[in-house]
Amino acid sequence: MGDILPLLSSGGNCFILSSIKLPPMLTVMRPSVAILNVPDYTPAQLKSAVAKVLSASGLNITPGQRILVKPNLVNGSNARHCTTNPEIVKAACAWLLDHDAHVTVADSPALGPAAYVARNSGLTKAVGALGLKVTSLKRAVPLELSHGGSIGISQDALDADLILNLPKLKVHCQMVMTGSVKNLFGCVVGFRKAMAHNRLGHSRDIFRSMLMDVYAALPHCHHLMDGIHAMHEDGPINGTPFELGLLGASINGIALDTAAYTVLDLTPGRIPLWNEAQVRDMPGARTKDIDFPLGPPTGFDTTGFTLSPERELSFAPSRVIKGRIRGLLKHFKKQ
């Protein structure tokens, strides 16, 4: 907990604990987002579609490259619907293995081990067929934050040659909508996320800034979004599937999120992380600046898509402790 306390203190001077500095925002070429309309998770169809969007979005793999595949494994509850679909993760891993990459599948859920959430979602079985397993991101090191203080980010994520970020497009009770940017918050180790939600969730400005800081600290990413059955009504955990049919990929996570939010007819003023990206003038934050190599994202029926009720997401300390104990017990009972 020491690595988030300076951030959570009120007033006074903060001691900067971090050895990780946020990289400067560089001027880059126009961001490119590859989007396809994929109706369901049929494995044969996904294999072709995933390969197509990854290639069209410019993902080039060097043999032997160490790739961290980072799905969204938010929680063991409702895991079949609130996590990245296992068939997408499997298709992405298979594509990487076909290109002779060294693949690791890992995440850091706020409550409980990644292996427990993966088992509930069906991911363990899916990637097990490829000879892979799901592990937890560990080795927290402090990341200096824009608003002062620091938070513990996984050295495992920092050490990867490339992170293939696999977000689930879904509504969120604090951030309204989440995708690529928010999913990289999973590179913050374990309970630190829950504590940050609990202590910072009431301040949308500080919370969204922290999320963007984590995104900016991980520039070695490519992004593949599962919006085939997006989550709506009540996120990020308790919502229901919405058959949107969107599969997208980009080297620029902000551009991918921007494209998805545009498909849903949302605006930056409604989405805190999109607004934060525009305030920082980050590449990909404006739809007009994005190239679409597979064609513009049209033909998606968003009728009936419902945002989550907005509320402060509370992780009381007792809930964090109980959740970690419960998750560990369930995990070890399965061993």
Side-chain angles (χ1 to χ4, degrees):
M1 289 177 60
D3 55 350
I4 63 171
L5 287 179
L7 169 67
L8 305 179
S9 61
S10 58
N13 296 321
C14 291
F15 293 98
I16 303 301
L17 306 181
S18 177
S19 59
I20 307 169
K21 303 293 183 181
L22 294 177
M25 290 294 106
L26 302 177
T27 301
V28 297
M29 61 190 300
R30 282 172 61 93
S32 177
V33 176
I35 287 183
L36 287 176
N37 195 324
V38 181
D40 55 46
Y41 297 105
T42 304
Q45 179 175 248
L46 271 183
K47 180 179 179 180
S48 173
V50 165
K52 188 170 184 177
V53 295
L54 289 180
S55 297
S57 60
L59 181 55
N60 297 308
I61 301 300
T62 303
Q65 198 171 7
R66 297 169 302 152
I67 312 295
L68 168 62
V69 173
K70 198 280 180 202
N72 179 221
L73 296 178
V74 59
N75 196 285
S77 174
N78 198 26
R80 291 279 178 177
H81 300 307
C82 72
T83 64
T84 311
N85 187 275
E87 292 299 332
I88 287 185
V89 183
K90 181 181 178 181
C93 290
W95 189 87
L96 294 171
L97 292 171
D98 286 344
H99 287 75
D100 298 321
H102 177 77
V103 177
T104 300
V105 184
D107 195 6
S108 180
L111 302 172
Y116 165 64
V117 182
R119 189 161 44 239
N120 279 17
S121 71
L123 182 59
T124 300
K125 181 178 180 181
V127 299
L130 301 175
L132 301 172
K133 62 180 181 178
V134 182
T135 61
S136 292
L137 292 171
K138 298 178 180 178
R139 298 191 295 152
V141 293
L143 167 70
E144 181 181 332
L145 297 167
S146 297
H147 281 272
S150 62
I151 196 165
I153 195 168
S154 170
Q155 189 68 54
D156 299 339
L158 294 167
D159 286 348
D161 295 326
L162 177 76
I163 299 172
L164 182 56
N165 180 32
L166 271 61
K168 178 84 170 181
L169 179 62
K170 55 187 175 179
V171 297
H172 193 283
C173 61
Q174 284 177 304
M175 293 290 103
V176 184
M177 288 292 304
T178 66
S180 305
V181 173
K182 177 65 166 63
N183 195 48
L184 287 178
F185 191 44
C187 293
V188 171
V189 177
F191 71 94
R192 292 163 180 82
K193 289 190 294 299
M195 295 301 294
H197 270 292
N198 183 54
R199 300 296 296 273
L200 302 179
H202 65 282
S203 174
R204 184 168 284 182
D205 289 343
I206 294 177
F207 191 60
R208 76 184 201 179
S209 176
M210 176 189 63
L211 294 175
M212 198 61 76
D213 285 348
V214 172
Y215 170 84
L218 297 164
H220 56 306
C221 290
H222 205 93
H223 310 268
L224 175 65
M225 176 179 285
D226 173 13
I228 295 176
H229 289 178
M231 173 178 278
H232 76 142
E233 294 180 341
D234 187 8
I237 295 170
N238 297 316
T240 58
F242 181 88
E243 296 181 6
L244 181 63
L246 187 149
L247 180 71
S250 179
I251 194 172
N252 184 319
I254 290 171
L256 182 54
D257 288 353
T258 295
Y261 300 156
T262 301
V263 164
L264 293 169
D265 198 28
L266 299 169
T267 62
R270 188 75 178 87
I271 312 299
L273 282 171
W274 193 2
N275 183 257
E276 179 73 14
Q278 290 199 349
V279 167
R280 297 191 187 200
D281 198 24
M282 299 177 79
R286 290 170 174 80
T287 311
K288 65 181 179 64
D289 297 329
I290 300 173
D291 288 328
F292 295 98
L294 298 180
T298 58
F300 295 95
D301 185 1
T302 62
T303 305
F305 186 88
T306 305
L307 296 175
S308 180
E310 293 183 41
R311 60 183 179 273
E312 194 172 297
L313 185 58
S314 176
F315 283 90
S318 60
R319 181 185 167 194
V320 173
I321 295 170
K322 289 178 181 177
R324 285 178 63 83
I325 293 173
R326 185 165 54 249
L328 288 168
L329 288 174
K330 289 180 179 177
H331 172 67
F332 288 118
K333 284 180 180 178
K334 295 285 185 179
Q335 303 303 305

